[in-house]
Amino acid sequence: MPAIAIVGAGPQLGLAIARTFGSHGLDVALIARNRAKLDELVGKLGAEGITAAAFPADVLDRDGLAQALRDAAAQFGGIDVLEYSPVGTLGSTILTGPSETDPSHVQHEMGFQLYGAITATKAVLPAMREAGAGTLLYTTGAGSIDPVPMIANVNAAAAALRNWVINLHKELAGAGIQAAHVGIDVSIGTAVIPGAPVAQPEEISPVYWELHTTHRDATERVFSR
């Protein structure tokens, strides 16, 4: 049975992606820091007939993240799809404008976004290369493409991740492995900024399935209103 590993699995987009892929027959490995929240998501998916399991790990702990993905591969017989979309919290994420940004503000975000993505990829890509098949999907806000001054440090790291993913897509051309970036230009679920466009996670998750199936040559998809 094919399997998807969702790194940064949360109750909104992560759960929607799990449902989309799970409804098409994939087993689901959920990876995030909070075991209790992961177990709750596993329960919801199980009640819907989707096989899922929790593998707690912090994306800033590179060894722990790699081990979680190895454990998931061992349990499900491999990882066919990786989706990477960790979400920071207001308690752990400091938002800075361009002129206010110190190197440390970007360094934390680089660890969270780019370095975590690289770590996760290195854990699953060798087996995909051997199989000649696989899908690697990475999510950022659309500020990775069109930056917003109030979150300059986050945008800088997201732009670095986007650059790396596009380069990875080029490297893997002809290898049977899809690598693509998803830029989300809406608030998910509820408006973060009054008047900003909003979309429900169930509206966004089909983009990932399309990249895995019918849009495998696409380097990037931007979801916007």
Side-chain angles (χ1 to χ4, degrees), residues 94-114:
I94 297 173
L95 305 179
T96 63
S99 64
E100 303 165 336
T101 301
D102 290 327
S104 62
H105 297 143
V106 178
Q107 183 61 38
H108 176 271
E109 290 303 313
M110 290 289 283
F112 194 67
Q113 297 196 60
L114 178 62

Side-chain angles (χ1 to χ4, degrees), residues 59 65 82 84 86 110-123 138 161 164-165:
V59 298
L65 175 57
L82 171 71
Y84 186 87
M110 290 289 283
F112 194 67
Q113 297 196 60
L114 178 62
Y115 303 157
I118 291 172
T119 299
T121 303
K122 289 178 71 67
Y138 309 83
L161 173 56
W164 179 82
V165 173

Side-chain angles (χ1 to χ4, degrees), residues 21-199:
F21 280 79
S23 67
H24 285 90
L26 276 75
D27 293 335
V28 178
L30 301 175
I31 300 172
R33 288 174 294 181
N34 190 309
R35 159 69 80 171
K37 290 182 180 178
L38 288 180
D39 287 343
E40 182 180 348
L41 298 181
V42 168
K44 287 182 178 179
L45 293 169
E48 298 168 15
I50 297 170
T51 300
F55 301 89
D58 187 332
V59 298
L60 294 174
D61 176 1
R62 298 177 200 171
D63 291 340
L65 175 57
Q67 186 60 54
L69 285 161
R70 287 192 292 267
D71 292 344
Q75 178 161 332
F76 291 125
I79 297 298
D80 303 272
V81 182
L82 171 71
E83 194 282 316
Y84 186 87
S85 56
V87 178
T89 63
L90 292 178
S92 64
T93 301
I94 297 173
L95 305 179
T96 63
S99 64
E100 303 165 336
T101 301
D102 290 327
S104 62
H105 297 143
V106 178
Q107 183 61 38
H108 176 271
E109 290 303 313
M110 290 289 283
F112 194 67
Q113 297 196 60
L114 178 62
Y115 303 157
I118 291 172
T119 299
T121 303
K122 289 178 71 67
V124 302
L125 182 55
M128 290 182 179
R129 284 189 184 276
E130 186 174 345
T135 300
L136 303 163
L137 304 174
Y138 309 83
T139 305
T140 72
S144 62
I145 304 165
D146 183 14
V148 180
M150 70 181 67
I151 50 174
N153 59 321
V154 174
N155 287 170
L161 173 56
R162 175 179 180 258
N163 179 285
W164 179 82
V165 173
I166 291 171
N167 222 5
L168 180 63
H169 179 93
K170 293 177 180 179
E171 179 187 341
L172 295 174
I177 303 167
Q178 161 70 321
H181 170 251
V182 179
I184 299 180
D185 194 20
V186 295
S187 295
I188 301 175
T190 58
V192 176
I193 301 172
V198 176

Side-chain angles (χ1 to χ4, degrees), residues 169-225:
H169 179 93
K170 293 177 180 179
E171 179 187 341
L172 295 174
I177 303 167
Q178 161 70 321
H181 170 251
V182 179
I184 299 180
D185 194 20
V186 295
S187 295
I188 301 175
T190 58
V192 176
I193 301 172
V198 176
Q200 298 308 309
E202 295 78 15
E203 298 177 85
I204 303 170
S205 60
V207 168
Y208 297 82
W209 182 251
E210 291 165 5
L211 287 167
H212 174 56
T213 54
T214 58
H215 291 72
R216 293 191 61 79
D217 291 333
T219 307
E220 179 173 69
R221 289 284 298 276
V222 178
F223 186 96
S224 61
R225 287 296 195 197

